[in-house]
Amino acid sequence: MATLTDVTESATSRGEQTRELILSTALRLFREQGYGRTTMRAIATEAGVSVGNAYYYYSSKEHLMQAYYDHLQEQHRDAVAPILSTEKAFVPRLTGVLRTWLEVSAPYHEFAGTFFKTAAEPTSPLSPFSDESRPARDASVKIFRQVVDGSDLKLPADLEAELPELLWLMHMGIVLFWVHDKSADVRRTKALIDRSVPLVDRLLRLTRVPGVRGVANDVVGLIRSIKP
Amino acid sequence: MATLTDVTESATSRGEQTRELILSTALRLFREQGYGRTTMRAIATEAGVSVGNAYYYYSSKEHLMQAYYDHLQEQHRDAVAPILSTEKAFVPRLTGVLRTWLEVSAPYHEFAGTFFKTAAEPTSPLSPFSDESRPARDASVKIFRQVVDGSDLKLPADLEAELPELLWLMHMGIVLFWVHDKSADVRRTKALIDRSVPLVDRLLRLTRVPGVRGVANDVVGLIRSIKP
DNA sequence: TCGGAGTTTTGAACATGTTCAAGTAGTCGG
DNA sequence: CCGACTACTTGAACATGTTCAAAACTCCGA
């Protein structure tokens, strides 16, 4: 609960407490019964407010999820800090960041599917590509920029500039895999991380090989050309 | 209409006509007003049946979309045949297949977002990774297998075996990009295809370079290890 | 203290996907 | 032709996200 109230600066107007009460109740119910089975009526009742009041603070059920996403984001950023400040090698840095995300998100694995469902819709404000979630996305990319900058990697400047976003994309891919991962203790996702990170490392270092550098340049050019 | 009725073998039982009437009405309304704004009541009314009857044939609104997806699949397979039988070089083969998908799907671009939204949910039968959509997925992968097999590519056997699925994955990525592409005439998606295909081609041919082959082998190993 | 402006709260009403018990119609063995 | 079995059809009822007009509350200046 404390983590939730910490998030916003101390109550600015009357309703802040109600807002947070609704949010924490919603997150709890989402976790306990899944997103689909949690009704707005249930959230309102459990929080001791009316349905209309819940809508006064969160204009839709999806927006409650958006709030969850921001919450997750902050937890991840905090949990990752010690790794980034101690570890210097690229592989453990990236592995650590990705596995930490797994840990932070674990309680929500079951209902995460529904989250990414709505996130996949381009018109949804929850889409990871939407303007509305730019702050969260930028914050996430920033983490990967730290992964790159603080590491022992030596890369061509242009590739290094694009790399954080590419790693964020990789992260999104892993999240997609995780959402579908039904193995015990998400073993398969963990395996994916542990095996793909060293591979990325090798690939990146390969960019020094003459024949490969050309392709790498093309990749960078492609990325740049399709950016909005 | 013809394409729709062709799909299933000639009427096996009484209700087949009704089934197809409902489907074609639904697809038309989806196209005309978008998925979200098309109500089941509207579909039923327009098709001249009751709401309950629509549910007798399609157990949910999502299943109507599943039917649309199958329909699209078949159109793509047919439209792609001439390319696969004439073109021999890998780059134009793959480019042709991907751009043809764009053409076939163009009328549905607007409401495709909603489609892929539900498709992204792992528990949905519409998920491209679900058992229920395995037939459609296999059919799609098969197209990419033809792209590889009929081309001038010379690759290590294990990589060649995995390549069709990898290309299908690439296709999914492009679809995701397309869904979010708001540029006129989906120019950006077309650019993505035209630039990324030659890049893939170069990457694949690079696997002959000694230093690269090791990485390629690891990629193949990784793919295999995470398959369910 | 009073009145009003802004903020918060309420719950009934609405829209729409979905279910279901009941009805209808075609079909087949006798 | 009859009865019954299956296939099909119906529409009212239900569940739940969302809206909204009205009420309640808070705060502040006169």
Side-chain angles (χ1 to χ4, degrees), chain A residues 150-165:
Chain A
S151 82
D152 54 353
L153 271 184
K154 297 273 181 291
L155 294 173
D158 55 352
L159 177 56
E160 186 167 322
E162 302 295 334
L163 192 52
E165 284 204 344

Side-chain angles (χ1 to χ4, degrees), chain B residues 213-226:
Chain B
R213 171 165 297 171
V215 181
N217 284 341
D218 286 358
V219 171
V220 171
L222 171 61
I223 306 282
R224 288 198 173 145
S225 77
I226 62 172

Side-chain angles (χ1 to χ4, degrees), chain A residues 62 112-114 116-123 127-130 176-177 179-180 182 188 191-192 195-196 199 202-203 206 209 211-212 214-215 218-219 221-222 225-228, chain B residues 62 112-114 116-123 127-130 176-177 179-180 182 188 191-192 195-196 199 202-203 206 209 211-212 214-215 218-219 221-222 225-228:
Chain A
E62 279 193 13
T114 317
F116 290 100
K117 160 182 170 164
T118 60
E121 190 178 29
T123 62
S127 162
F129 307 104
S130 78
L176 184 62
F177 188 89
V179 165
H180 286 81
K182 295 286 174 289
R188 289 175 59 222
L192 173 60
R195 293 195 60 161
S196 61
L199 223 152
R202 284 184 62 187
L203 260 177
L206 262 185
V209 177
V212 181
V215 181
D218 285 359
V219 172
L222 171 61
S225 77
I226 63 173
K227 270 197 205 168
Chain B
E62 280 193 11
T114 316
F116 290 101
K117 161 183 170 163
T118 60
E121 190 178 29
T123 61
S127 161
F129 306 104
S130 79
L176 184 63
F177 189 89
V179 165
H180 287 82
K182 294 288 173 291
R188 289 175 60 223
L192 173 61
R195 294 195 61 163
S196 60
L199 224 152
R202 283 184 64 189
L203 261 177
L206 262 186
V209 177
V212 180
V215 181
D218 286 358
V219 171
L222 171 61
S225 77
I226 62 172
K227 270 198 202 166

